[in-house]
Amino acid sequence: MTKAYNDAEFMLSEEARPLRLLSEYLEPRTRLAELNVHRALIFWGSARLRPREDDPVDEAVDFYAQARELAARMTRWTMETHAADEHYYVCTGGGPGIMEAANRGAADVNRELSMGYNIELPHEQGSNAYISDALNFEFHYFFMRKFWFMNVAKALIIFPGGFGTMDELFEMLTLIQTGKQPRIPVVLYGKNFWDRLINFDVFVELGLIAERDIDLFYRADSVDDAFDFLTDALAQDTVTAQSRHG
């Protein structure tokens, strides 16, 4: 006789979906607790953006290189300014493109601080080679993956991306706007891209959001700009938290 939890056909059935959902909650929770991972810098962006080093005549912005550099600088910063049990991890969706770039930048400094929440997809996605083995997660359910992003997120850095990136951005902004998620620094990287893509002022003009909601995010146009904003904001949050706990 096969025990129910050893029955692969049953465990992959519709009836066992609640068990699969619960496993994607409990396993990451257990692993993160064991490794004392409780805060991260979340990098989101397109899986399709690649480094431009092989195409020097292309004058487009090399977002891959900039994501890599920013992640490396943030990793170096947290190692120099925080105790080991207070480090910020660089966390991405685990795949190629901007995700790979950020994980690669973190790994350039300390691979142990490079984390990936990969998602099973029919194309594009597969864990990149720069994630710590211990922090390489694989999800089936998008909403469980989002839950774990938000559980550890202490800052968001969002590079140009497609539908998935927009989905993640607006869901997080909605949660912060409504108080369901504590306010954290949010950087939209690549000012020209974001200004061309979304006229946020229209939301205000039509009374669809409050004017103060525009301040929920910061548009950065360089690694230096994003780094200065993030480190200042995170340092202020640390001081506030310390004063709160006396």
Side-chain angles (χ1 to χ4, degrees):
M1 295 291 291
T2 302
K3 293 182 174 64
Y5 55 78
N6 284 329
D7 185 338
E9 183 177 354
F10 169 72
M11 291 300 294
L12 293 174
S13 69
E14 183 175 349
E15 290 76 10
R17 182 176 291 124
L19 300 178
R20 298 196 298 275
L21 292 172
L22 189 59
S23 70
E24 291 203 352
Y25 169 71
L26 291 175
E27 194 280 332
R29 181 175 183 269
T30 300
R31 200 187 329 174
L32 291 171
E34 288 175 348
L35 296 172
N36 195 29
V37 177
H38 53 91
R39 56 186 189 174
L41 311 174
I42 310 298
F43 281 72
W44 285 332
S46 175
R48 305 185 185 195
L49 289 175
R50 298 292 192 269
R52 299 189 178 275
E53 56 196 23
D54 298 328
D55 190 7
V57 300
D58 192 331
E59 297 180 357
V61 176
D62 191 346
F63 287 117
Y64 183 104
Q66 293 179 2
R68 180 180 178 182
E69 181 183 352
L70 180 57
R73 289 184 62 178
M74 294 303 299
T75 303
R76 191 173 297 111
W77 167 77
T78 194
M79 290 184 65
E80 292 174 350
T81 57
H82 299 92
D85 61 348
E86 292 296 327
H87 282 157
Y88 289 92
Y89 290 73
V90 168
C91 182
T92 78
I98 292 299
M99 296 173 281
E100 176 187 291
N103 285 132
R104 187 175 180 181
D108 287 341
V109 179
N110 184 349
R111 189 186 183 93
E112 293 182 2
L113 296 182
S114 181
M115 181 160 63
Y117 288 164
N118 191 42
I119 185 79
E120 179 187 353
L121 294 177
H123 55 84
E124 288 184 353
Q125 195 78 357
S127 292
N128 66 68
Y130 303 99
I131 303 168
S132 164
D133 290 340
L135 292 171
N136 195 350
F137 296 84
E138 181 83 12
F139 290 90
H140 177 75
Y141 297 102
F142 269 105
F143 76 94
M144 290 305 304
R145 181 185 187 226
K146 287 179 180 179
F147 170 85
W148 282 111
F149 273 130
M150 295 168 189
N151 183 271
V152 298
K154 299 301 178 185
L156 292 176
I157 304 96
I158 306 172
F159 278 75
F163 292 157
T165 302
M166 297 306 112
D167 170 65
E168 292 164 335
L169 166 63
F170 280 101
E171 182 160 359
M172 181 60 91
L173 288 178
T174 300
L175 291 172
I176 295 173
Q177 178 197 49
T178 57
K180 298 296 184 181
Q181 170 80 11
R183 184 167 181 177
I184 59 176
V186 177
V187 173
L188 304 187
Y189 194 97
K191 191 173 183 298
N192 183 54
F193 169 82
W194 291 105
D195 287 350
R196 289 177 59 203
L197 184 70
I198 306 170
N199 186 346
F200 288 99
D201 291 335
V202 171
F203 289 104
V204 177
E205 291 169 8
L206 298 180
L208 304 175
I209 63 174
E211 188 170 357
R212 65 178 179 275
D213 291 333
I214 295 292
D215 296 330
L216 294 178
F217 54 84
Y218 177 79
R219 280 168 281 195
D221 221 19
S222 70
V223 171
D224 286 342
D225 188 16
F227 177 82
D228 290 343
F229 173 79
L230 287 165
T231 52
D232 286 348
L234 292 169
Q236 291 174 15
D237 286 346
T238 298
V239 170
T240 301
Q242 290 173 343
S243 64
R244 187 183 301 125
H245 295 292

